[in-house]
């Protein structure tokens, strides 16, 4: 209990110190710019965190549900074309192409997600209703703030704005300077994040969906000496030559499990293990679950580890600009991070750009290993 009070006191002290830098009121600001915050965390002011209004509905980026304490998880399902938000109690599944959403009980909704610049944005009112979150939009001394809070939030909106005023002032000044010097683009303001630099020893786990053997071999050529983790269904593992090429290059191989029940998952793991052992004398330990989010227990019984992504490249890395968007997201992490790059064919165009940025930033590009994540 004493540790909790000490942590709260330290948090309030840090925020109050930042408040001493609050700007003067009445300052002219750019239009269409908004801060976002999650509980007591003020997010970066960039295209990745800039909400927008569409059809009378506020949309916020998937970034709000990655690396924050809202208690809602985000995972893309590229096999089914879904963007999924979930807790251990409930979920929301968004079909980007069909422009609708539904839950695990089969209830459907007209609310849909929107993809911009490789970033997925979710309809804020629907998400908050579903997961018992609160949201607000409040004027500040710089630009309006959209804040999403859970039951664990400490400060109310006004106290948070007062405490974070110094951060808002400095971040907006940097943003305004970047826009005035480099210009903006329609719809989404440009990001102003500094070049990403890795924390000491920080690893990046690149995950690729191996949908085409030919494209996968092209990805291997681009990776060179770097290792990644490739997702293959049990059927795709019948290509023994591809499995041997992956093992020889030191890459990770994960079963892309399609089953929805424990028995189906057990069968797929057994089938994939037999194929991988026959082709390369390697033992299957990694599994990517496509159609379920509650497989950790059964995977543990099978001696497997579930592979999951912290970040995704949205529609893939077809262009260098999409690689730059993903790199900015990676740069916000100060710990090991896993990034899903999409299908092997969809990441060819931007993969060289991403690899160059990761290397320049000092990141260690690794394959997923049991006990290594």
């Amino acid at each position: 209990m004493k540790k909790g009070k000490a942590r709260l006191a330290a948090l309030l002290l840090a925020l109050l110190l930042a408040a001493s830098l609050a700007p003067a009121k009445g300052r002219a600001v750019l239009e269409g710019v908004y801060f976002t915050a999650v509980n007591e965390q003020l997010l970066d002011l960039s295209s990745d965190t800039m909400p927008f209004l569409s059809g009378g509905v506020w949309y916020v980026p998937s970034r709000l549900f990655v690396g924050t304490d809202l208690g809602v998880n985000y995972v893309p399902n590229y096999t089914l074309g879904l963007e999924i938000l979930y807790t251990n109690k409930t979920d929301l599944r968004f079909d980007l192409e069909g422009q609708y959403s539904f839950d695990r009980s089969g209830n459907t909704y007209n609310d849909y997600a929107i993809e911009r610049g490789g970033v997925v944005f979710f309809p804020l009112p629907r998400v908050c209703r579903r997961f018992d979150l609160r949201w607000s939009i409040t004027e500040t001394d710089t630009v309006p703030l959209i804040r999403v809070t859970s039951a664990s939030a400490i400060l109310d909106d006004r106290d948070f704005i007062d405490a974070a005023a110094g951060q808002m002032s400095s971040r907006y000044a940097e943003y305004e300077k970047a826009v005035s010097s480099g210009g903006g683009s329609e719809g989404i303001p440009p990001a102003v994040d500094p070049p990403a630099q890795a924390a000491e020893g920080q690893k990046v786990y690149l995950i690729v969906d191996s949908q085409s053997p030919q494209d996968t071999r092209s990805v291997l050529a681009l990776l060179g000496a770097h290792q990644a983790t490739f997702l293959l269904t049990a059927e795709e593992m019948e290509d023994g030559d591809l499995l041997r090429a992956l093992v020889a290059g030191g890459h990770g191989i994960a079963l892309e499990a399609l089953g929805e029940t424990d028995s189906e998952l057990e069968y797929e793991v057994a089938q994939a293990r037999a194929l991988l052992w026959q082709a390369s004398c390697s033992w299957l330990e990694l599994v990517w679950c496509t159609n379920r989010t509650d497989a950790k227990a059964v995977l543990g019984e099978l001696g497997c580890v579930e592979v999951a992504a912290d970040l995704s490249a949205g529609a893939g890395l077809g262009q260098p600009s999409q690689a730059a968007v993903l790199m900015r997201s990676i740069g916000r992490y100060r710990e090991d991070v896993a990034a899903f790059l999409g299908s092997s064919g969809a990441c060819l165009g931007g993969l060289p750009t991403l690899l160059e940025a990761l290397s320049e930033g000092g990141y260690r590009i690794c394959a997923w290993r049991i006990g290594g994540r």
Side-chain angles (χ1 to χ4, degrees):
M1 186 67 181
K2 291 182 179 180
K3 290 184 178 180
K5 289 183 177 180
R7 179 180 177 275
L8 174 58
L11 171 63
L12 293 176
L13 176 60
L15 290 173
L16 289 172
L17 288 174
S20 64
L21 301 174
K25 293 185 177 181
R27 175 182 176 182
V29 297
L30 297 170
E31 295 183 0
V33 180
Y34 299 88
F35 281 114
T36 49
V38 170
N39 289 334
E40 276 64 51
Q41 180 182 359
L42 182 68
L43 302 186
D44 295 338
L45 191 60
S46 76
S47 59
D48 289 347
T49 58
M50 192 74 69
F52 61 87
L53 193 63
S54 177
V57 176
W58 281 104
Y59 282 79
V60 293
S62 54
R63 169 69 180 87
L64 267 71
F65 310 99
V66 178
T68 64
D69 61 350
L70 275 181
V72 179
N73 303 294
Y74 163 62
V75 61
N77 185 319
Y78 294 100
T79 301
L80 299 179
L82 301 177
E83 306 290 331
I84 303 174
L85 297 175
Y86 70 94
T87 66
N88 59 356
K89 296 181 179 179
T90 188
D91 70 348
L92 266 179
R93 310 177 185 199
F94 294 85
D95 188 314
L96 287 176
E97 185 175 349
Q99 294 196 330
Y100 71 96
S101 56
F102 62 99
D103 58 35
R104 65 177 64 171
S105 300
N107 302 308
T108 59
Y109 310 96
N110 292 327
D111 306 271
Y112 55 89
I114 296 175
E115 184 178 352
R116 284 186 171 185
V119 178
V120 175
F121 291 78
F122 295 104
L124 184 55
R126 168 61 65 185
V127 170
C128 287
R129 287 196 299 270
R130 187 67 181 181
F131 297 104
D132 295 324
L133 303 174
R134 172 185 174 272
W135 74 279
S136 61
I137 179 168
T138 310
E139 293 293 332
T140 75
D141 289 338
T142 49
V143 298
L145 167 74
I146 291 181
R147 186 180 182 217
V148 182
T149 56
S150 65
S152 64
I154 299 172
L155 303 176
D156 63 24
D157 289 343
R158 182 45 58 189
D159 287 342
F160 173 78
I161 290 172
D162 290 343
Q167 295 180 40
M168 292 182 182
S169 178
S170 61
R171 291 187 187 185
Y172 178 77
E174 294 175 359
Y175 178 84
E176 189 178 50
K177 180 179 179 181
V179 171
S180 62
S181 62
S185 60
E186 295 183 3
I188 303 178
V192 296
D193 302 342
Q197 293 294 318
E200 184 176 358
Q202 186 177 359
K203 299 176 183 177
V204 174
Y205 301 90
L206 302 181
I207 303 171
V208 180
D209 190 356
S210 177
Q211 293 185 354
S212 160
Q214 181 177 356
D215 288 335
T216 298
R217 288 182 171 86
S218 297
V219 171
L220 294 178
L222 292 176
L223 285 169
H226 299 301
Q227 280 80 43
T229 301
F230 291 83
L231 312 178
L232 296 91
T233 65
E235 181 179 355
E236 290 167 343
M237 287 190 183
E238 293 177 1
D239 187 338
D241 289 339
L242 179 59
L243 294 180
R244 284 186 285 272
L246 293 173
V247 171
H251 302 283
I253 298 176
L255 167 67
E256 185 176 355
L258 307 178
E260 298 182 359
T261 66
D262 288 355
S263 60
E264 290 173 336
L265 180 57
E266 291 170 1
Y267 176 78
E268 287 181 272
V269 169
Q271 183 182 13
R273 275 181 168 162
L275 291 169
L276 183 57
W277 183 261
Q278 180 181 1
S280 63
C281 294
S282 299
W283 188 246
L284 178 75
E285 297 177 315
L286 306 177
V287 178
W288 171 284
C289 291
T290 296
N291 294 324
R292 55 187 296 181
T293 58
D294 58 347
K296 185 171 292 186
V298 65
L299 288 176
E301 294 175 358
L302 295 171
C304 295
V305 168
E306 184 175 9
V307 176
D310 302 303
L311 298 171
S312 73
L317 297 179
Q319 301 294 329
S321 59
Q322 293 169 309
V325 170
L326 179 61
M327 192 63 213
R328 287 199 298 271
S329 297
I330 291 173
R332 292 191 177 90
Y333 282 75
R334 307 309 296 163
E335 57 189 15
D336 295 348
V337 58
F340 182 78
L341 306 187
S343 70
S344 50
C347 69
L348 295 174
L351 183 56
T353 300
L354 179 65
L355 294 174
E356 181 179 0
L358 289 171
S359 297
E360 291 180 353
Y363 292 88
R364 297 173 59 190
I365 305 172
C366 303
W368 198 301
R369 311 287 186 198
I370 283 190
R373 176 85 212 278

